Amino acid sequence: MAAMPDVLEASPLTLVRWRPDDADAVLDAVRSSFAELRQWMPWAQTVPTRDEQLVALAEGNAAFDAGTDFQFLFREEATGTLVGAGGVHRRVGPGAVEIGYWVRTDRHNLGYATRATHVMTDAAFAHLGDVDRIEIHMDCANLASARVPEKLGYRLTGTEKREKLALSNTGQTYLWQTTRPEWTGRQLR
């Protein structure tokens, strides 16, 4: 049973859970931003085929239902266009989740990643009672991505050496976090 809502309001965005019916829109967004996504995202080292995208969306949908991973697509309210994606991932140990995000290249610098991450953070603390800490990780060279947790008041807790999994990855990862007491009542700056 899913522990997160299927839809999160994040005006000017709406975050909706992954569905296989969204395969074509996801592929369009990935293709339009592939050169940049490839620099930072291990999953974007090749453009997925439609069949691969359908499988990924079906697996994400099943994980959402199982309460093990919560993937969202970011839709622009004004146009209905899919402008990115993100998720709340149970992959950092007990009592914690990791939030990840990306925004298509033609929608950068509109605050979409920050707004979506704020709403996913709120939702994780509101709906996942076992979560007391949320982390955001990104390569140390990905300065644009690092601005998101900084704007939201997450604390930079250190760096960690990791395997280089994408073209621009340095192998050094920033570790940002916030806790339930730190976040409670926090407004978007």
Side-chain angles (χ1 to χ4, degrees), residues 10-33:
S11 190
L13 303 173
T14 300
L15 281 59
V16 296
R17 71 182 280 181
W18 281 17
R19 302 260 188 217
D21 292 349
D22 292 308
D24 293 327
V26 173
L27 283 171
D28 178 60
V30 168
R31 287 179 185 134
S32 74
S33 302

Side-chain angles (χ1 to χ4, degrees), residues 7-8 19-20 25 38 63-64 78 98 105 109 111 126 151 171:
V7 176
L8 301 174
R19 302 260 188 217
R38 187 170 179 229
F64 199 109
E98 179 185 349
T105 304
N109 299 312
K151 286 178 192 175

Side-chain angles (χ1 to χ4, degrees), residues 90-111:
R90 292 187 180 271
R91 60 184 177 209
V92 291
V97 293
E98 179 185 349
I99 289 180
Y101 48 84
W102 65 271
V103 173
R104 63 187 289 159
T105 304
D106 64 355
R107 296 305 202 282
H108 281 190
N109 299 312
L110 298 175

Side-chain angles (χ1 to χ4, degrees), residues 9-183:
E9 298 301 328
S11 190
L13 303 173
T14 300
L15 281 59
V16 296
R17 71 182 280 181
W18 281 17
R19 302 260 188 217
D21 292 349
D22 292 308
D24 293 327
V26 173
L27 283 171
D28 178 60
V30 168
R31 287 179 185 134
S32 74
S33 302
F34 182 70
E36 185 171 44
L37 289 171
R38 187 170 179 229
Q39 299 300 309
W40 306 112
M41 302 293 191
W43 58 264
Q45 297 309 293
T46 59
V47 176
T49 65
R50 188 170 195 283
D51 286 344
E52 290 169 335
Q53 192 61 63
L54 282 167
V55 167
L57 290 169
E59 289 173 352
N61 199 31
F64 199 109
D65 285 338
T68 58
D69 201 57
F70 307 97
Q71 300 272 5
F72 293 95
L73 301 174
F74 306 165
R75 292 207 172 269
E76 201 170 47
E77 290 174 349
T79 66
T81 303
L82 191 148
V83 297
V88 178
H89 311 288
R90 292 187 180 271
R91 60 184 177 209
V92 291
V97 293
E98 179 185 349
I99 289 180
Y101 48 84
W102 65 271
V103 173
R104 63 187 289 159
T105 304
D106 64 355
R107 296 305 202 282
H108 281 190
N109 299 312
L110 298 175
Y112 287 175
T114 303
R115 183 70 184 131
T117 302
H118 185 268
V119 170
M120 287 188 290
T121 303
D122 277 347
F125 282 135
H127 298 283
L128 303 177
D130 62 328
V131 171
D132 294 314
R133 184 180 81 251
I134 298 176
E135 298 181 7
I136 299 175
H137 305 169
M138 81 277 304
D139 191 87
C140 292
N142 192 345
L143 300 179
S145 188
R147 287 194 299 270
V148 171
E150 182 179 27
K151 286 178 192 175
L152 293 175
Y154 276 68
R155 287 177 293 105
L156 179 61
T157 60
T159 61
E160 182 177 282
K161 189 167 180 62
R162 294 210 178 153
E163 183 180 352
K164 183 178 171 170
L165 298 173
L167 290 177
S168 293
N169 285 176
T170 63
Q172 291 293 319
T173 300
Y174 283 133
L175 305 174
W176 297 85
Q177 74 174 239
T178 191
T179 63
R180 186 180 294 275
E182 291 169 333
W183 185 261

